[in-house]
Amino acid sequence: MNMLSRSAKEKLYFGLFRACGALVVLTLVVIVAYMLVGSLPVLSLDFLTEPPRGANARGGILTPLVGTIYLMIIVFAFAIPIGVLSAVYLAEYQGKGRGARFWSIVVSNLAGVPSIVYGLLGLGLFVTFAGLGRSLIASGLTLAILALPIVISAAREAIQAIPPSLREASLALGATKWQTIQHHVLPYALPGILTGVILALSRAAGETAPILLTGAAFYMSSMPDSIFSQFMALPYHVYAVATQTMAGMNGSPVVYGAAIVLLLLVIGMNLIAIIVRKRYREKYRW
Amino acid sequence: MSSIEVNNLNVWFDDKQALKGVNMTIPEKGITAIIGPSGCGKSTFIRSINRMNDIIPSCRVQGQILVDGKDLYGPGVDVTQVRKNIGMVFQRPNPFPKSIYENIAYAPRIHGTRDKKKLGEIVERCLRRAALWDEVKDRLDKSAYDLSGGQQQRLCIARALSIDPEIVLFDEPCSALDPIATAKIEDLLEELKDDYTVVIVTHNMQQAARVADRTAFFYLGELIEFGDTSQLFERPENELTENYITGRMG
Ligand SMILES: Nc1ncnc2c1ncn2[C@@H]1O[C@H](COP(=O)(O)OP(=O)(O)OP(=O)(O)O)[C@@H](O)[C@H]1O
Ligand SMILES: [Mg+2]
């Protein structure tokens, strides 16, 4: 039965793990390299500062880039406070009883809902029912709902990871529960919360289906002038150019260029998160 | 410097009773030690005195604890005010992951002291009281986590004093420390007992015999015997107490 010695087995499995790890890294490298090579002809600062021309097939990506940034700001403004506060409620006030289990099932199920369903929800709730129309705010709110469960579960985990002894120390000094949360729980949990926030923002930044249904435009000659106007956004721009223009279907560099800017945006957010996290880890560590 | 009068205290966790009809009067000042086998309710008892058991949802408390004649469990009592007058030091050092200064300044600040100079004075006074000042005065802005375990525990004592309490509770404060750090804490307890009513839970009978003026022996949630330390260790009245202190019982 046992044809391999224990040390040979050890080597075999270790090699396997290493290969799997390498595969993951390789995938990222290949994606970035592929996008870079494809987009080389258009990569320049002008690409970022000029609006699309020639029915999207030429020119830059200023309009969709700005649209995506606006969306992120709206998601940030709504998903973070609501998400973090509900996480505080779930972790600190719900305890560990049946209610808490019910909530965690709700949250993890929300995280698994397909994004097109969020799109339909946004269409019904914000565009039609709330009368916001197809607009930046309707799309931003839809993406915020989509981001919410990610923020909530990350924040909740970060909060629950704080040793109870620190809470007790604060309460024993006569601090109220809210003071304890505000001065200890939230600051110590911040690195973990931040990770969740960035993950959620990255996910929201790349979504196409929800914004397609709630306000993203195929082409706009100008920037959105208010939160109630339509907008262009990077993921939809990639999709639109790739499928709706002759140039795009023949592998236009604009497609790759827009995709790599989106990618860099997400990677950039992750880098910021890492730096802030490191700073905080140095300040508060236990 | 307050006396603590416990009247018929019963504590349950769900339907398991952890304390059964405890009656005990702890006079002001001096050191009162609580001893007894593991699980007999020592921690539950001292956590009742500053209402820390309130944070455990399954916990139910019945009875009276009078501090200077006022019932801590009476109607309309503000829990945070109760805790503000009673310091507590825990089994494992649990400083906040902040600077040494912040650890001490935190409580005075949330209780309304804003003045920087005043806060600085409080920090120095508490650290001196906890015999830590000379070791840390040059690095008040450094993380409390850079201190050794024994120093951290003295920092926690200084923090407990920062609220200017009358009573200070210790739940096995030395069980995570080496003998030298333990000796320092014991010296410190001697220093504190003239100004504070000190209640200390300990697993270590020698420690109780060394530092405590009075000792209480708990067994299975009941107070079995309470008296002067020398009397309790030399001429215990109850057979259970005798068995415990002579090592014939866990
Ligand atoms: N949070 C809790 N939930 C449920 N039961 C508890 C809880 N805390 C304590 N108990 C129970 O109450 C009883 C007394 O516990 P307590 O912690 O007061 O004992 P102790 O004398 O301090 O023990 P040790 O010396 O091990 O610290 C034990 O039977 C314990 O199982
Ligand atoms: Mg205990």
Side-chain angles (χ1 to χ4, degrees), chain A residues 74-100:
Chain A
I74 296 175
V75 173
F76 194 88
F78 284 91
I80 303 334
I82 297 176
V84 172
L85 293 184
S86 13
V88 167
Y89 171 72
L90 293 181
E92 295 286 324
Y93 291 92
Q94 265 285 326
K96 295 196 168 72
R98 277 169 77 194

Side-chain angles (χ1 to χ4, degrees), chain A residues 5-77:
Chain A
S5 74
R6 279 172 13 132
S7 74
K9 247 190 196 163
E10 168 88 11
K11 276 199 189 108
L12 179 74
Y13 280 109
F14 192 72
L16 201 67
F17 296 150
R18 197 201 298 243
C20 292
L23 197 69
V24 173
V25 177
L26 198 72
T27 312
L28 185 66
V29 172
V30 167
I31 290 176
V32 175
Y34 184 66
M35 296 285 139
L36 261 180
V37 170
S39 62
L40 266 184
V42 293
L43 270 197
S44 70
L45 208 57
D46 293 345
F47 187 64
L48 295 180
T49 57
E50 276 179 15
R53 278 180 290 113
N56 282 349
R58 281 177 292 116
I61 53 160
L62 179 65
T63 332
L65 176 61
V66 169
T68 287
I69 291 173
Y70 283 165
L71 279 179
M72 292 303 93
I73 294 173
I74 296 175
V75 173
F76 194 88

Side-chain angles (χ1 to χ4, degrees), chain B residues 74-221:
Chain B
V77 171
D78 179 357
V79 188
T80 59
Q81 280 306 314
V82 169
R83 295 187 187 140
K84 192 197 161 303
N85 293 323
I86 302 177
M88 182 166 220
V89 177
F90 297 83
Q91 184 162 355
R92 306 206 137 267
N94 58 350
F96 298 128
K98 301 185 176 197
S99 71
I100 294 169
Y101 179 94
E102 276 303 315
N103 265 276
I104 315 291
Y106 177 66
R109 200 184 289 131
I110 60 168
H111 293 300
T113 309
R114 298 265 156 211
D115 186 48
K116 277 256 164 64
K117 194 161 149 267
K118 250 205 189 127
L119 284 174
E121 285 164 13
I122 293 175
V123 170
E124 174 168 352
R125 177 161 45 82
C126 295
L127 286 171
R128 281 192 191 281
R129 263 327 316 235
L132 191 60
W133 175 252
D134 290 327
E135 290 159 67
V136 301
K137 62 177 181 229
D138 303 321
R139 44 172 172 152
L140 294 176
D141 57 337
K142 292 275 159 16
S143 169
Y145 277 53
D146 295 337
L147 300 173
S148 72
Q151 288 174 322
Q152 285 186 11
Q153 195 61 307
R154 275 179 284 146
L155 181 67
C156 292
I157 294 173
R159 183 178 64 188
L161 301 180
S162 72
I163 51 178
D164 213 3
E166 310 251 293
I167 300 169
V168 188
L169 309 172
F170 294 81
D171 192 353
E172 300 189 43
C174 302
S175 63
L177 304 181
D178 65 49
I180 294 173
T182 299
K184 280 196 181 148
I185 304 266
E186 286 181 8
D187 290 345
L188 187 53
L189 291 172
E190 292 285 338
E191 294 271 317
L192 296 178
K193 72 176 193 181
D194 296 334
D195 299 320
Y196 302 93
T197 304
V198 174
V199 183
I200 176 173
V201 170
T202 176
H203 250 125
N204 181 330
M205 275 180 278
Q206 284 80 32
Q207 183 169 62
R210 273 195 304 268
V211 301
D213 302 300
R214 295 165 294 274
T215 299
F217 171 64
F218 278 71
Y219 185 64
L220 297 178

Side-chain angles (χ1 to χ4, degrees), chain B residues 13-14 16-18 36-45 56 58 91 171-172 201 203:
Chain B
F13 292 102
D14 290 321
K16 184 180 180 306
Q17 192 164 5
S38 190
C40 69
K42 304 181 294 295
S43 298
T44 305
F45 176 72
I56 300 166
S58 67
Q91 184 162 355
D171 192 353
E172 300 189 43
V201 170
H203 250 125

Side-chain angles (χ1 to χ4, degrees), chain A residues 165 168 171 173 183 285-286, chain B residues 47 83 94 97 106 111 145:
Chain A
S165 63
E168 290 203 331
L171 292 171
L173 291 167
H183 302 303
R285 64 204 146 90
W286 62 86
Chain B
R47 289 166 61 92
R83 295 187 187 140
N94 58 350
Y106 177 66
H111 293 300
Y145 277 53

Side-chain angles (χ1 to χ4, degrees), chain B residues 6-18:
Chain B
V6 179
N7 291 328
N8 197 20
L9 180 70
N10 293 287
V11 179
W12 289 265
F13 292 102
D14 290 321
D15 44 15
K16 184 180 180 306
Q17 192 164 5

Side-chain angles (χ1 to χ4, degrees), chain A residues 200-214:
Chain A
L201 278 181
S202 308
R203 163 99 198 271
E207 282 297 343
T208 316
I211 58 174
L212 194 65
L213 292 182
T214 52

